[in-house]
Amino acid sequence: MSAQSETRSKADSGQKTGCYVYGILPADVELNSEIYGVGDPPGEITLVRSGDLAALVSEVDLSGSLGSPEDLQAHQEILDATVTGSPVLPLRFGAILTSADAVVHELLEPHHDEFAAALEELDGYVEYLVKGRYVERAILEKILSEDSEAAQLRDQIRGADPDATRDLRIQLGELIGNAVTAEREEDTRLLLSAVKDHGKASFVRDPTHELDAVHVAFLVDTGKAGELERVVEHLGNRWEGRVELRVLGPMAPYDFVGGTREQEPQG
């Protein structure tokens, strides 16, 4: 079982509350203040310890709804805040067990060795996400200036009846889509090459928008985050006007636990 595997609720139909699990941490972690988690009303975050492991949990009302954008945001914010002071293995949103005892006997004890080894490997590292989106006008101008077929189709379509040029529009859309994909692959390669000496591992996420330029997670030494940000800033200056870049983090290592495939940053 991976730390990102969804833990299904085993609550009986008559059970009113459950134990929502956010992630796995070392047992010596201490919570410095009152924190509240998902659900309505939100439960206070506590630790369930078993040996050298602990689970970050809160009580949830099983009769209420769970899964609002606010719940998802709370889940992520709690894990991201935790990772600044301790390694953490995040569980997927919606992991619920019947009780604190179930967390110990069904989660922590059976998977102790797996969790302990992963926490040791991730100690001192956090995830940063580099996201870039193409400036639509700029990327279209670049594609049309480099692809004569696409430029000719654009000229044929311009000012023409939309119904009469439907097939041409579809053809142009396919050409532009393929060109954006090629640009994305090349820009992702450039990003990975630029960051190769500043991260332990990387994971290329699937695009979430047709104009996504890069979408890459990096596992970074907590003391070297500034180096990553400087490299990305330099690359952003090179891409100014064509790609809008953002760096998000530090985050819990969502892309580097469990079944997610790790890969070394490539040049």
Side-chain angles (χ1 to χ4, degrees):
M1 175 180 176
S2 73
Q4 275 197 323
S5 296
E6 183 175 358
T7 305
R8 299 191 178 187
S9 172
K10 299 180 181 179
D12 297 328
S13 58
Q15 185 167 333
K16 295 182 178 180
T17 62
C19 197
Y20 185 101
V21 187
Y22 300 83
I24 312 300
L25 308 90
D28 58 1
V29 169
E30 296 291 342
L31 300 181
N32 296 325
S33 60
E34 290 186 358
I35 308 170
Y36 290 86
V38 302
D40 185 17
E44 183 177 354
I45 300 293
T46 60
L47 290 170
V48 174
R49 292 184 170 88
S50 175
D52 58 352
L53 297 178
L56 197 66
V57 306
S58 68
E59 186 177 88
V60 291
D61 182 354
L62 297 179
S63 65
S65 61
L66 186 67
S68 68
E70 292 77 16
D71 286 334
L72 179 57
Q73 183 177 354
H75 178 91
Q76 294 175 335
E77 288 179 351
I78 288 164
L79 288 168
D80 292 347
T82 303
V83 78
T84 60
S86 166
V88 59
L89 305 180
L91 267 68
R92 291 194 186 278
F93 177 74
I96 303 175
L97 289 171
T98 55
S99 64
D101 283 343
V103 172
V104 172
H105 299 305
E106 297 174 16
L107 182 64
L108 296 179
E109 289 182 346
H111 307 288
H112 171 273
D113 292 349
E114 176 189 348
F115 290 162
L119 286 170
E120 182 177 1
E121 183 177 352
L122 291 170
D123 192 14
Y125 292 91
V126 292
E127 177 171 327
Y128 278 83
L129 187 63
V130 180
K131 299 183 68 173
R133 182 162 292 183
Y134 291 116
V135 177
E136 186 171 12
R137 178 185 292 274
I139 192 65
L140 288 177
E141 288 179 354
K142 183 176 188 296
I143 291 170
L144 293 171
S145 68
E146 296 175 351
D147 189 325
S148 59
E149 182 181 0
Q152 290 173 2
L153 285 170
R154 187 270 315 272
D155 293 340
Q156 288 179 263
I157 291 169
R158 181 180 290 163
D161 184 296
D163 292 333
T165 56
R166 179 177 180 275
D167 290 344
L168 295 180
R169 291 176 187 277
I170 292 173
Q171 186 178 350
L172 177 59
E174 291 175 347
L175 286 175
I176 291 175
N178 291 336
V180 170
T181 297
E183 288 282 325
R184 181 185 300 122
E185 291 174 353
E186 175 62 14
D187 288 334
T188 298
R189 186 193 66 79
L190 291 172
L191 172 63
L192 291 170
S193 178
V195 180
K196 65 181 180 180
D197 295 328
H198 304 282
K200 180 181 181 182
S202 65
F203 183 81
V204 179
R205 290 189 178 184
D206 292 334
T208 59
H209 188 276
E210 61 184 6
L211 289 177
D212 274 358
V214 293
H215 196 185
V216 185
F218 293 97
L219 191 64
V220 180
D221 187 310
T222 53
K224 296 183 179 180
E227 297 177 12
L228 171 73
E229 292 173 338
R230 283 192 292 273
V231 169
V232 174
E233 182 181 6
H234 177 71
L235 191 59
N237 290 336
R238 287 175 51 190
W239 289 349
E240 187 173 4
R242 188 175 72 91
V243 178
E244 296 175 343
L245 274 180
R246 292 188 297 156
V247 180
L248 306 176
M251 305 165 58
Y254 304 101
D255 293 287
F256 301 98
V257 297
T260 303
R261 177 174 59 87
E262 292 187 22
Q263 59 187 33
E264 294 300 318
Q266 300 294 313

